[in-house]
Amino acid sequence: MPAYAIAHLQEAAPHPEVADYIERIGATFAPYGGRFLVHGTRHEVKEGSWPGHVVVIAFPGIAEARAWWDSPAYREIAPLRSRHIEGDIILVEGVPEGYDPGVTAQALRSSLPSE
């Protein structure tokens, strides 16, 4: 099942360390099968508020995403970003091929109290 690293990063002033981070990050997730799905693109807010930027990196599975996050190569460059850009980052599993949201809805309905 695929997994994703998703970052919601706040606006920040340009800094040479951030440029270094961006130049080096691809090499850190390549050994784990990671690839950018969203990076450096504009987003369109349809509901609520979402200031800043969105980054999405896909991995073959959650084990690979965790291994990348914990890898010495990524841990080495992470401060180049975190010293200059605040944000929230999560690792999340995707849904399997053929996922049916109706099954999830039915499970929700069965857990509701009877009327």
Side-chain angles (χ1 to χ4, degrees):
M1 199 164 8
Y4 306 93
I6 303 172
H8 178 204
L9 303 175
Q10 303 306 309
E11 292 288 341
H15 194 279
E17 285 190 342
V18 174
D20 290 344
Y21 172 85
I22 293 169
E23 288 173 344
R24 296 169 61 187
I25 190 170
T28 69
F29 55 69
Y32 304 97
R35 66 183 184 90
F36 280 115
L37 295 182
V38 177
H39 187 248
T41 58
R42 294 196 177 275
H43 60 275
E44 184 175 331
V45 178
K46 293 295 192 181
E47 197 171 310
S49 172
W50 195 290
H53 303 279
V54 180
V55 176
V56 180
I57 304 167
F59 291 91
I62 196 70
E64 292 86 352
R66 288 180 181 136
W68 163 73
W69 181 261
D70 295 332
S71 71
Y74 186 68
R75 295 287 93 215
E76 179 183 325
I77 70 165
L80 299 174
R81 174 196 41 79
S82 64
R83 282 193 288 261
H84 307 286
I85 302 174
E86 290 186 33
D88 300 305
I89 301 172
I90 63 170
L91 300 180
V92 61
E93 285 186 296
V95 296
E97 189 76 28
Y99 170 75
D100 179 358
V103 173
T104 301
Q106 184 57 42
L108 175 63
R109 286 185 192 286
S110 67
S111 70
L112 296 172
S114 299
E115 292 182 25

